[in-house]
Amino acid sequence: GGMPGGFGGMGGRPMDGGVKFTFSSGGGGRSMDNARAEELFRQFFSQGDPFRSADDPFDDIFAGLSGLRRSTGIASGGRRAPRADVLPHGTPVRLCDLSQANFNGASGTIDQWDEARGRYVVSLGKGVSLAVRTQNVSQVVAEARVVGTSQPQLNGKVAAAATFDRATKRYRMEGLTSKGVVALKPENVILPQRTRVTIQDVISRPQLNGRAGSIRDVEGDRYVVDLPGEAPLKVRFHAAVAC
C-alpha cells in the first residue's frame, strides 16, 4: 500500500546528515503523492537503515528508530528507561541514619534521582520532600520470600515488607508472624525481580563490591543481576542485598 498516514507529521524536521523531508497532506508544505514519497524513501534507504549501528542491525526505519531509543536509554513513549543502579520513581523507602533524627524511620517514595547532586528526592507526603544521600534511604521490598531457615513454619512465607538493616546485616521482615518483625540473613531471603541491590562480598571480582544493580532473574540459589556496563552477573543470595 501507500505511505502510512503518520508520515504527515514529519513536515520539515531535519534528519541526520542534514537531510530534511517535508511531507504534507495539504496546508504548509508542498504536497506529494504516495508514489513519489515512496520513491524518495527507497532512494534514501537503499543502502540500509541510516540509523543503524554496526552492532544493531535492523532492517527498516522503524526498527532502526527503536534501536536508537535503546542506545540512548529512551523507552517507548519518549520516557527514559529506568536505570538498573537507581531506585525508580515511586519506589517506597524508609529514611535512615540522617543527622535530622526526627526524620529517621519516616516512610516515603522516591520522586527522582538528582544526578548532579548525587541525591534522591524523597516525597514524604503533604508537600514535604527531602533530598538525601543513597545511604540515607532503605528500599522497602514487597513480596520477599523466606527460604532455608531452621524454622520450617517460616520457610516459603512472603513478607508484607522487607528492609535491609546495614548495621546488623539482616533483613527486617514484616508480616510473617503475629509477633512483629523477624530478622533474617540475606541467604534466607529471595528478593523479587527488578529489586535494586548492592553487590557485596564477591571474592573473585572484588571490584564489583559496592556496585548497584537490578535483579533480572532468580536461578536456583543465585540472582542474575544487571549492572551498568557489565554482562549479567550471577551471585549467591548473600552477595546482593536490597539498596
Side-chain angles (χ1 to χ4, degrees):
M3 294 291 294
F7 280 104
M10 293 178 61
R13 290 194 62 180
M15 304 178 78
D16 288 346
V19 179
K20 181 170 75 173
F21 286 117
T22 301
F23 297 126
S24 174
S25 56
R30 185 176 60 185
S31 63
M32 71 171 67
D33 58 26
N34 286 344
R36 178 59 178 157
E38 287 179 347
E39 180 184 349
L40 284 175
F41 264 69
R42 279 196 300 271
Q43 292 174 3
F44 185 66
F45 295 108
S46 61
Q47 302 302 315
D49 179 4
F51 300 100
R52 180 174 61 194
S53 63
D55 59 350
D56 197 11
F58 292 95
D59 293 330
D60 55 48
I61 182 173
F62 301 107
L65 287 172
S66 176
L68 184 64
R69 283 196 297 268
R70 284 201 303 275
S71 67
T72 56
I74 303 298
S76 59
R79 298 185 305 274
R80 183 164 293 275
R83 284 174 46 177
D85 58 341
V86 169
L87 296 172
H89 172 80
T91 300
V93 295
R94 290 200 182 110
L95 301 182
C96 58
D97 301 327
L98 289 164
S99 57
Q100 295 173 282
N102 56 308
F103 284 110
N104 288 328
S107 297
T109 57
I110 297 294
D111 184 48
Q112 64 177 315
W113 167 248
D114 187 331
E115 183 75 38
R117 299 173 65 193
R119 293 172 181 255
Y120 285 111
V121 178
V122 179
S123 174
L124 301 177
K126 297 182 179 179
V128 177
S129 63
L130 289 179
V132 298
R133 295 183 176 90
T134 55
Q135 62 264 34
N136 298 126
V137 297
S138 183
Q139 182 181 185
V140 180
V141 180
E143 300 184 355
R145 183 160 52 92
V146 181
V147 294
T149 73
S150 60
Q151 304 178 63
Q153 72 276 15
L154 291 181
N155 294 330
K157 282 195 170 185
V158 175
T163 55
F164 185 69
D165 187 322
R166 300 181 185 95
T168 63
K169 297 186 178 181
R170 298 287 192 277
Y171 283 103
R172 294 174 56 82
M173 309 283 282
E174 301 174 27
L176 294 178
T177 71
S178 59
K179 298 179 181 180
V181 175
V182 176
L184 293 176
K185 295 179 180 179
E187 52 263 42
N188 297 125
V189 177
I190 297 181
L191 303 171
Q193 292 177 349
R194 292 183 293 278
T195 302
R196 266 45 177 189
V197 293
T198 302
I199 303 300
Q200 63 173 19
D201 301 334
V202 175
I203 297 174
S204 60
R205 299 176 66 186
Q207 70 274 18
L208 297 180
N209 292 327
R211 293 278 303 276
S214 175
I215 294 176
R216 172 186 289 201
D217 203 356
V218 179
E219 296 182 0
D221 61 350
R222 287 172 168 79
Y223 295 121
V224 180
V225 180
D226 287 325
L227 294 176
E230 303 283 346
L233 177 71
K234 287 187 179 182
V235 294
R236 295 186 183 275
F237 296 151
H238 76 272
V241 295
C243 296

